[in-house]
């Protein structure tokens, strides 16, 4: 199954504790404090990886933790800073706080790298707490605690054009003809279980991306069929091509199909339904109806 959602636990590193020690050398019987500072804990960073297109890496591993900073040492030795943990995600991933649903980061456009949890600062050693009245401080500062958070990752594919329409109207075939994509094509419902992406190359060297959005049926906005899983993939498209079975080979009326799908889009997000839409009358070679031409009706 296409991995476009994942819930994971992330944890930043704890700061290392400051150290309590005193200078002890030959001929220096009462040396001052020389405890070193603790190191910084590791951050949790999300980074866009162009080579990824699913969240598969987060399906089987749920916890990701950065290392803690090292504690300080004697003779003013500072603890080592911990390495950050970098989690690589595909472009278009939205990072949300799992409990509240609040968006923390949207990994698209210019946003390629985001620190989501900061590691704790290291604590100060006892050398910092010596004063004229307290010359032998026997305490040091503990490192700052780590932060822990459950986050929900959601992938919304990045495409300029979205192909929408009922199952089995020919969206995948259309995609295979106009782009370099080679989706699975067969004559049964829900052949397409994953959003397929294809690039259209134009003669002037430019191009754009088309996404085949599967799973739209009546009731999709309420979670019927596969619609609820994939409606969010339309959110980033600028234009939709609405593929319609003009011949009504499955017994549906093509004009009613257009209204039904647009009703689902409006129910999901009215702003998406208001975007530009091109209607593509498909399967015209199978029209045998007497009387009014269904393409003209469309």
């Amino acid at each position: 199954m296409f991995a476009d959602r994942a819930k994971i636990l992330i944890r930043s590193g704890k700061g290392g504790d400051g150290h309590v020690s005193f200078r002890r050398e030959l001929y220096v019987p009462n040396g001052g404090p020389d405890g070193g500072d603790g190191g910084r804990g590791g951050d949790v960073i999300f980074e866009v990886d162009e080579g990824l297109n699913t969240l598969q890496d987060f399906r089987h591993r749920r916890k990701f933790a950065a290392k803690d900073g090292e504690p300080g040492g004697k003779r003013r030795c500072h603890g080592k800073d911990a390495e950050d943990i970098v989690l690589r995600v595909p472009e278009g991933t939205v990072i949300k706080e799992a409990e509240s649903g609040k968006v923390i980061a949207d990994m698209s456009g210019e946003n390629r790298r985001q620190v989501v949890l900061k590691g704790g600062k290291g604590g100060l050693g006892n050398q910092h707490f010596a004063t004229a009245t307290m010359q032998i401080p026997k305490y040091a500062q503990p490192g700052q605690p780590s932060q822990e958070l459950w986050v929900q990752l959601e992938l919304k594919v990045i495409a300029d054009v979205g192909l929408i329409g009922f199952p089995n109207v020919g969206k995948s075939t259309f995609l295979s003809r106009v782009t370099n994509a080679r989706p699975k094509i067969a004559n049964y419902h829900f052949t397409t279980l994953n959003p397929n992406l294809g690039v259209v190359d134009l003669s002037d060297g430019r191009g754009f991306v088309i996404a085949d959005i599967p799973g739209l049926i009546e009731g999709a906005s309420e979670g019927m069929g596969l619609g609820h899983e994939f409606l969010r993939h339309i959110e980033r498209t600028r234009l939709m091509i609405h593929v319609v079975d003009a011949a009504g080979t499955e017994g549906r009326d093509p004009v009613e199909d257009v209204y039904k799908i647009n009703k689902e889009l409006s129910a999901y997000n009215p702003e998406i339904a208001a975007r530009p839409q091109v209607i593509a009358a498909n399967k015209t070679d199978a029209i045998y109806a007497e009387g009014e031409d269904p393409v003209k009706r469309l």
Side-chain angles (χ1 to χ4, degrees):
M1 189 64 184
F2 181 66
D4 58 355
R5 278 173 187 259
K7 185 180 176 183
I8 60 171
L9 178 67
I10 55 174
R11 175 188 169 277
S12 64
K14 174 189 176 298
D17 295 336
H19 191 71
V20 176
S21 62
F22 299 93
R23 190 174 163 209
R24 291 288 179 266
E25 290 178 35
L26 199 61
Y27 310 120
V28 189
N30 295 315
D34 69 350
D37 303 342
R40 181 186 62 83
D43 299 339
V44 178
I45 301 170
F46 283 83
E47 192 171 88
V48 171
D49 186 334
E50 305 287 350
L52 295 176
N53 53 19
T54 75
L55 296 172
Q56 190 65 40
D57 294 349
F58 303 98
R59 268 290 171 90
H60 306 295
R61 185 180 165 198
R62 292 296 170 91
K63 185 173 181 181
F64 297 85
K67 290 199 161 61
D68 298 337
E70 288 187 359
K74 55 177 71 172
R75 297 185 184 174
R76 305 192 177 209
C77 287
H78 291 286
K80 186 180 176 184
D81 291 344
E83 284 186 18
D84 301 328
I85 184 170
V86 179
L87 304 180
R88 304 192 188 284
V89 293
E91 186 177 5
T93 301
V94 178
I95 303 162
K96 295 180 179 178
E97 198 175 318
E99 198 170 326
S100 66
K102 179 185 171 190
V103 174
I104 301 169
D106 186 346
M107 307 302 291
S108 60
E110 299 294 313
N111 192 24
R112 318 302 288 176
R113 185 180 170 91
Q114 175 103 16
V115 178
V116 173
L117 290 183
K118 292 282 289 180
K121 287 182 179 175
L124 299 175
N126 70 335
Q127 59 173 313
H128 294 277
F129 301 105
T131 63
T133 54
M134 169 63 74
Q135 295 183 355
I136 47 168
K138 293 179 180 172
Y139 55 86
Q141 189 181 42
Q144 285 185 345
S146 60
Q147 300 180 63
E148 197 169 89
L149 186 67
W150 279 98
V151 293
Q152 182 79 40
L153 306 180
E154 284 186 5
L155 176 61
K156 298 177 183 178
V157 297
I158 305 288
D160 303 296
V161 176
L163 286 180
I164 59 171
F166 273 86
N168 215 14
V169 293
K171 298 191 296 292
S172 297
T173 305
F174 178 87
L175 186 75
S176 71
R177 293 295 183 271
V178 299
T179 75
N180 53 7
R182 292 292 170 265
K184 180 182 177 184
I185 297 167
N187 187 27
Y188 51 85
H189 283 301
F190 297 122
T191 311
T192 307
L193 295 175
N194 310 331
N196 287 310
L197 297 179
V199 178
V200 177
D201 294 316
L202 302 177
S203 55
D204 57 3
R206 293 181 300 121
F208 59 91
V209 178
I210 294 185
D212 173 9
I213 313 293
L216 292 195
I217 58 170
E218 229 176 329
S221 59
E222 295 160 15
M224 297 285 284
L226 303 173
H228 214 222
E229 288 297 309
F230 295 120
L231 268 165
R232 69 175 171 279
H233 292 299
I234 306 176
E235 289 183 24
R236 299 193 195 277
T237 59
R238 291 185 282 177
L239 165 82
M240 282 166 286
I241 295 178
H242 193 153
V243 183
V244 184
D245 177 0
T249 57
E250 303 212 337
R252 295 190 312 268
D253 180 67
V255 175
E256 280 183 24
D257 280 5
V258 173
Y259 285 117
K260 283 175 181 174
I261 292 290
N262 280 326
K263 183 181 172 188
E264 295 305 324
L265 291 180
S266 296
Y268 178 72
N269 186 335
E271 188 270 323
I272 295 173
R275 289 180 197 166
Q277 190 176 121
V278 175
I279 294 178
N282 199 17
K283 302 196 180 184
T284 52
D285 56 324
I287 296 173
Y288 299 111
E290 299 291 329
E292 191 179 6
D293 180 3
V295 177
K296 283 184 181 174
R297 281 185 60 222
L298 278 167

